[in-house]
Amino acid sequence: MDQIRLDKWLWAARFYKTRSLAREMVEGGKVHYNGQRIKPSKLVEVGAILTLRQGSDQKTIKILAINGQRRSAQEAQLLYQETQESIDKREKIAEARKLNALTMPHPDRKPDKKERRNLIKFKYDRQQGDNN
């Protein structure tokens, strides 16, 4: 198989759970092919560079093989290779997220009804003070 649509390849490589989700991501600009926005019907080529956004992560991968069938995760990983720069960047951002979570801890519990009212009142009073 030497020609396949981008949305089908993304599905077969297990980046997205369904083809329709892969199509939506491509149409939404979350996937770039060789640095450009493209359509889901774009035929992929071996050696092309894809940039994908998945949640808060951005991956840059190189297409190594083309397969239209969705197989196991181990076989799907043989279809592409993530660039070293992309791996380093993702690890750096993940570390920054972890450090940020340590400096901004979440409360042990949700505020109760009275505390929520006080918070809303405090925010409202503060906004009114900024407008004056």
Side-chain angles (χ1 to χ4, degrees):
M1 189 172 255
D2 53 342
Q3 290 188 335
I4 189 169
R5 292 171 50 109
L6 178 63
D7 58 347
K8 190 169 185 179
W9 186 88
L10 289 168
W11 168 77
R14 294 183 167 262
F15 284 106
Y16 300 105
K17 201 167 194 169
T18 63
R19 274 187 70 184
S20 61
L21 183 59
R23 182 180 45 78
E24 288 175 18
M25 293 297 123
V26 174
E27 288 174 348
K30 306 285 191 241
V31 179
H32 289 111
Y33 185 87
N34 289 333
Q36 297 182 354
R37 281 186 70 167
I38 33 82
K39 294 183 178 180
S41 60
K42 169 76 174 162
L43 299 177
V44 296
E45 301 168 346
V46 174
I49 303 294
L50 289 179
T51 306
L52 310 146
R53 283 199 72 71
Q54 291 181 307
S56 60
D57 290 335
Q58 181 170 337
K59 296 179 182 178
T60 304
I61 62 165
K62 182 177 181 179
I63 297 176
L64 300 178
I66 297 175
N67 188 358
Q69 293 183 332
R70 190 172 171 101
R71 304 268 174 121
S72 68
Q74 292 83 11
E75 289 183 47
Q77 288 177 348
L78 300 175
L79 298 178
Y80 63 91
Q81 179 181 12
E82 188 172 2
T83 62
Q84 190 60 41
E85 298 86 30
S86 174
I87 294 170
D88 295 340
K89 188 175 180 182
R90 279 191 312 112
E91 288 174 353
K92 186 177 177 182
I93 292 172
E95 185 65 29
R97 265 196 313 260
K98 287 178 187 175
L99 292 174
N100 191 26
L102 292 175
T103 60
M104 303 285 272
H106 293 290
D108 294 334
R109 61 178 179 79
K110 289 184 181 179
D112 60 21
K113 191 170 186 176
K114 184 176 179 182
E115 292 169 337
R116 280 195 305 271
R117 286 181 181 159
N118 288 337
L119 283 171
I120 291 169
K121 183 180 177 193
F122 175 75
K123 287 180 182 178
Y124 178 77
D125 290 344
R126 196 162 179 207
Q127 287 175 352
Q128 293 304 317
D130 290 344
N131 292 336
N132 292 331

